[in-house]
Amino acid sequence: MNADGMRGGGRTLAAVDPAPEPPRFGPRAVLGQWFHGEHGVAPIVVGLAFVWVVLAAVEPDFLSAENLVNLTLQSVPVGVIALGVVLVLLVGQIDLSVGSVSGLAAAIVAVGTVTAGWPLGLGVLVALACGMAVGLVYGVLSTRLGLPSFVITLAGLLFFAGVQLRVLGPLGSINLPFESWFVRSIQQGFLQPAVAWALVALWVLSYLGMQVWVRERRRRADLSCVPWPQVALRTGALALVLAAAVGYLSTARGVGYSVVLFVVLVIIADVALRRTRWGRSVRAVGSDRRAALLSGVAVHRTVVSAFVACSTLAALGGILAAGRLGAANQGTGGADTYLTAIAAAVIGGTSLFGGRGSAWSALLGVLVIQSVANGLTLLDLDQATRFMVTGAVLLGAIIVDMLVRRRRQEA
């Protein structure tokens, strides 16, 4: 697609992106918008709260500050992988090899830094480059040859699992030096309380500034604007949630560096999806690929970029997993990793059919799944029970998603 085509696509995308409904104010109206909105997160938040209440009722230690700190740290590697899955699902594709790619990235970092003596930065860059290359190959095969992503990435799952074993060699497991800053930062790195509160203030002020900026742009274009009380309500709710989370976690070890990295990635992805031409292209391709092509969207380039982003984030997730475990072995990125990541994206509200979802799906979905896993571990239940409960939660999330979608279509 040439430059003129892209400029033309910028105008036509407005027709693909659904026009916002006139804003209304009031608790009932706000709840109605959440449950009918394209990116409604209320059902997931309610589901997460329900899971927490049930687990806290049967195991009071679940809601202890120390356990919630562990829960946030455990959620990061899979959450980063799930964020990539959200992006590829939004364009109507799927990547089944994210677990194998993450395991290969962990193996590259471990072998490169421990066995080959590479600097850590070089090992991380090589691992991320491998992830980008994998995504590029997937994207080219999917767009140029028309191969189904399910088949391509299923083959990739097996292929890169084999490459991971070959890279690890006969030992099958390599320990990372505990004293390295990489391992210590991920396992024991936590924000100072003053820094954590400063980041909360920065986040809230940035959110408020974005709301005011968007409102002013719409007002100048003679479009409907969100009322000021609703802007204040949203900002106040965000400040309350962040303050409660940081305040409670700070009574234990606090907020981990890796958790901050994950949240920053989610915010970047969210802004890219909602405020950039690329993000509008992603939604347009996922909603209706043919309509997007006729509208001038660079469909092939958008799909390739989504695969590249997904595989790169999978590699980053594997690197973070290696740092958290202090090792890379044959089980890193194992069989259930890709299932957990895909389930987290779907539970978080991303449609398997493309075009609907948000970056926050990864954060909310992985919190639900890891909460279930964490709670069942505290109850000393086995992995079989964890799989069955996670499957039931996934089914429930899909049913809720379908009911919300049907209600929205009927409205």
Side-chain angles (χ1 to χ4, degrees), residues 9-366:
R11 292 192 298 272
T12 51
L13 276 175
V16 177
D17 205 8
E21 296 181 356
R24 295 166 293 172
F25 181 66
R28 187 174 180 180
V30 172
L31 287 176
Q33 290 173 7
W34 280 10
F35 279 99
H36 290 87
E38 186 71 12
H39 313 293
V41 296
I44 302 99
V45 173
V46 172
L48 178 62
F50 176 76
V51 169
W52 281 25
V53 168
V54 171
L55 291 175
V58 297
E59 178 52 68
D61 288 340
F62 175 77
L63 287 183
S64 66
E66 189 64 33
N67 187 58
L68 291 184
V69 170
N70 288 331
L71 175 62
T72 57
L73 295 176
Q74 292 166 358
S75 301
V76 171
V78 177
V80 172
I81 298 173
L83 181 59
V85 173
V86 167
L87 298 178
V88 84
L89 285 178
L90 282 175
V91 295
Q93 305 293 329
I94 196 167
D95 188 345
L96 301 178
S97 69
V98 288
S100 298
V101 173
S102 68
L104 174 60
I108 290 174
V109 171
V111 172
T113 57
V114 176
T115 305
W118 296 352
L120 177 62
L122 178 61
V124 171
L125 288 177
V126 171
L128 292 177
C130 285
M132 294 177 63
V134 170
L136 182 62
V137 171
Y138 288 163
V140 170
L141 291 176
S142 175
T143 56
R144 299 300 178 185
L145 301 182
L147 299 178
S149 59
F150 178 87
V151 177
I152 301 170
T153 56
L154 180 60
L157 182 155
L158 298 172
F159 179 81
F160 294 113
V163 176
Q164 176 188 357
L165 297 180
R166 182 60 58 88
V167 171
L168 287 172
L171 294 178
S173 178
I174 297 178
N175 294 325
L176 297 172
F178 177 75
E179 62 275 9
S180 69
W181 67 267
F182 173 64
V183 175
R184 293 176 67 88
S185 296
I186 294 178
Q187 292 185 356
Q188 301 179 353
F190 294 91
L191 293 177
Q192 293 294 325
V195 177
W197 286 112
L199 290 178
V200 168
L202 178 63
W203 189 344
V204 173
L205 291 176
S206 299
Y207 179 79
L208 177 60
M210 179 66 73
Q211 293 286 309
V212 173
W213 178 70
V214 172
R215 189 181 188 283
E216 185 63 17
R217 285 191 62 188
R218 294 183 63 85
R219 186 188 67 79
R220 290 179 179 176
D222 290 331
L223 298 174
S224 59
C225 301
V226 176
W228 284 114
Q230 192 165 331
V231 173
L233 181 63
R234 291 177 178 177
T235 307
L238 175 65
L240 182 63
V241 170
L242 293 178
V246 170
Y248 191 58
L249 294 179
S250 296
T251 60
R253 285 172 289 170
V255 181
Y257 292 160
S258 59
V259 177
V260 176
L261 173 63
F262 176 38
V263 174
V264 169
L265 289 173
V266 171
I267 292 175
I268 292 174
D270 179 63
V271 172
L273 287 172
R274 292 190 302 112
R275 301 297 176 192
T276 67
R277 179 175 295 178
W278 176 81
R280 292 191 291 270
S281 299
V282 166
R283 295 189 185 283
V285 172
S287 298
D288 191 329
R289 186 166 179 150
R290 179 171 176 77
L293 182 63
L294 295 175
S295 301
V297 175
V299 174
H300 288 183
R301 190 163 56 195
T302 302
V303 172
V304 171
S305 65
F307 273 114
V308 170
C310 179
S311 294
T312 305
L313 287 171
L316 179 59
I319 295 169
L320 293 173
R324 171 160 173 73
L325 297 175
N329 53 47
Q330 297 175 350
T332 307
D336 65 332
T337 300
Y338 78 95
L339 294 175
T340 304
I342 294 173
V346 175
I347 289 174
T350 302
S351 173
L352 284 169
F353 304 101
R356 196 173 65 86
S358 74
W360 297 101
S361 302
L363 178 62
L364 292 171
V366 78

Side-chain angles (χ1 to χ4, degrees), residues 55 58-62 67 371-389:
L55 291 175
V58 297
E59 178 52 68
D61 288 340
F62 175 77
N67 187 58
S371 295
V372 171
N374 181 285
L376 296 182
T377 301
L378 290 177
L379 293 172
D380 199 23
L381 297 178
D382 57 14
Q383 193 174 37
T385 305
R386 197 194 85 183
F387 284 159
M388 289 187 287
V389 174

